[in-house]
Amino acid sequence: MSDQHVDLVFEGGGVKGIGLAGAFAAIEQHGFIPKSVAGTSAGAITAALVAAGYNSNELDEIVLDLPFASFKDESFLDKLPGGKAASVLTDLGIYEGKVFEEWIGEKLAAKGKTKFGHIVDPDADDPDSRWCLRLIASDVTHRRMLVLPNDAPHLGLDPDDMDIAHAVRMSMSIPIFFEPVQHKNPKTGDTHLIVDGGMLSNFPVWLFDCKDRDPRWPTFGLMLVEPEPKKPIGHRIASEDHGIERGSLLDFVKSLALTMMAAHDRMYLDQATYARTIAIPTLGVGTTEFEITPDRVKALYDSGHQSATDFIGKWDFKAYIEEFRRGKEHHRGEALPTGVPA
């Protein structure tokens, strides 16, 4: 069955991550078995649930009934006049993120997979690659990307003992919208301010690449693409105001964060990467569209399912290895389809 194994990398994209569940369902229906998974932000949520053992039917039930609105857990400051600005100045974010962390923690506990030590591959060749889940976060205090649990020692933690729900909370901390995770290093006493991994790598498809040999199974990247890629990013995020006054400093910082997350890895998407990427049209759904309607949820899910079905129908692992893993040169940005902004 090893020829049916696959590593999966889920891109971040907030609410747009609904499309990832649809794509995963198609991947599973075609007989692929996830070996290792990784993700950033919303992709971290999907990756964690898959790593914990949720199959596509179970994931569908979760995603299609996801309580997005409940994740907007405001502090008492938000309820005061000018409260959102005060909350950002005081807590560095509008929503606390506690409801989300409790929710994902309960889902992981239901499968008995709450620590990274619960999801290890005993047959892994490299001890540093034995965890079946990798999550990306950004440590802004130390100005570095974190790959968790591998970088848990940087936070003063044992990788096996690190709480998965807390790592997901770190990865999905969209700046301004969610308060950053303030982690106190128990060994150094330093406080690490940790935000959304999408600030540094929203599509870490390189995580499972092997060196000096052919891969034994493929890695599929699941990317969320805009329906109108040539339209400026500013137009696509203009409606995501959350009560923030247009033209204010808060609006500027919010737009800065969303722009960075939306555009970051696109400039580095080359032929070899795109050849193994399932591009999922997001149908105009916003990153922070927490009030998304059931119809739009279903449409986005179906978009992911259809995109993965179309991709798998054309996938040829042997041809991929011959074209992209046998020393041939390919240049950045060559022959990218119009659905992906280069």
Side-chain angles (χ1 to χ4, degrees):
M1 291 296 290
S2 63
D3 60 334
Q4 288 296 302
H5 281 151
V6 65
D7 293 333
L8 300 174
V9 178
F10 299 96
E11 186 186 28
V15 176
K16 294 181 287 188
I18 295 165
L20 302 174
F24 175 68
I27 290 169
E28 189 175 81
Q29 288 161 10
H30 281 80
F32 287 97
I33 303 168
K35 187 71 172 176
S36 295
V37 293
T40 301
S41 195
I45 301 170
T46 305
L49 293 173
V50 171
Y54 281 93
N55 61 37
S56 61
N57 290 332
E58 294 171 318
L59 194 62
D60 289 354
E61 291 181 8
I62 292 172
V63 170
L64 295 178
D65 195 33
L66 206 62
F68 288 107
S70 70
F71 297 156
K72 297 166 61 176
D73 50 347
E74 300 177 332
S75 70
F76 75 95
L77 287 175
D78 292 305
K79 299 175 175 60
L80 302 175
K84 286 182 170 56
S87 184
V88 172
L89 290 173
T90 303
D91 300 323
L92 305 180
I94 298 172
Y95 307 121
E96 296 187 329
K98 294 178 181 177
V99 171
F100 168 79
E101 187 169 346
E102 291 173 358
W103 174 85
I104 190 71
E106 290 173 358
K107 297 300 181 185
L108 296 170
K111 292 290 187 179
K113 309 290 186 182
T114 59
K115 306 287 185 181
F116 279 96
H118 297 156
I119 48 171
V120 297
D121 179 3
D123 300 322
D125 298 331
D126 181 356
D128 289 336
S129 302
R130 66 192 186 91
W131 297 284
C132 299
L133 173 67
R134 314 283 177 80
L135 304 177
I136 303 295
S138 304
D139 183 344
V140 297
T141 304
H142 291 260
R143 302 173 187 175
R144 61 172 287 178
M145 181 176 71
L146 300 177
V147 179
L148 302 172
N150 300 66
D151 288 330
H154 170 71
L155 303 175
L157 302 174
D158 180 279
D160 284 340
D161 289 336
M162 187 171 190
D163 187 77
I164 298 173
H166 198 52
V168 176
R169 170 67 179 88
M170 291 177 177
S171 182
M172 55 74 67
S173 301
I174 301 173
I176 300 299
F177 298 100
F178 290 106
E179 296 176 11
V181 173
Q182 298 190 44
H183 172 80
K184 186 171 183 179
N185 190 314
K187 294 184 177 180
T188 66
D190 292 343
T191 296
H192 300 257
L193 202 64
I194 302 174
V195 301
D196 197 297
M199 299 298 291
L200 296 178
S201 182
N202 208 32
F203 190 51
V205 73
W206 43 266
L207 270 175
F208 301 121
D209 285 351
C210 55
K211 298 179 180 179
D212 304 321
R213 64 174 174 82
D214 290 343
R216 288 174 291 179
W217 51 77
T219 295
F220 293 161
L222 285 75
M223 172 175 274
L224 303 164
V225 300
E226 301 294 340
E228 298 179 84
K230 294 182 179 180
K231 193 172 183 179
I233 290 174
H235 289 274
R236 300 200 295 267
I237 65 176
S239 62
E240 301 181 46
D241 55 37
H242 294 264
I244 298 173
E245 182 183 354
R246 293 294 301 277
S248 65
L249 177 60
L250 196 56
D251 178 58
F252 168 74
V253 176
K254 174 215 70 172
S255 297
L256 189 67
L258 287 179
T259 299
M260 180 180 292
M261 292 170 61
H264 187 274
D265 288 334
R266 296 301 198 273
M267 66 180 66
Y268 300 110
L269 196 64
D270 58 18
Q271 279 188 316
T273 297
Y274 194 78
R276 53 180 175 171
T277 295
I278 300 171
I280 304 169
T282 55
L283 312 180
V285 172
T287 300
T288 55
E289 192 178 319
F290 296 122
E291 307 296 341
I292 187 171
T293 64
D295 287 347
R296 281 168 70 77
V297 168
K298 183 63 166 58
L300 186 51
Y301 175 92
D302 290 343
S303 177
H305 191 281
Q306 187 61 54
S307 298
T309 299
D310 293 344
F311 171 88
I312 294 171
K314 301 174 183 177
W315 172 252
D316 186 326
F317 188 36
K318 291 182 179 179
Y320 166 80
I321 292 176
E322 183 63 31
E323 181 67 22
F324 297 106
R325 302 302 291 264
R326 294 287 171 83
K328 294 184 179 181
E329 289 190 7
H330 297 88
H331 300 288
R332 196 176 282 179
E334 272 188 356
L336 290 182
T338 57
V340 179

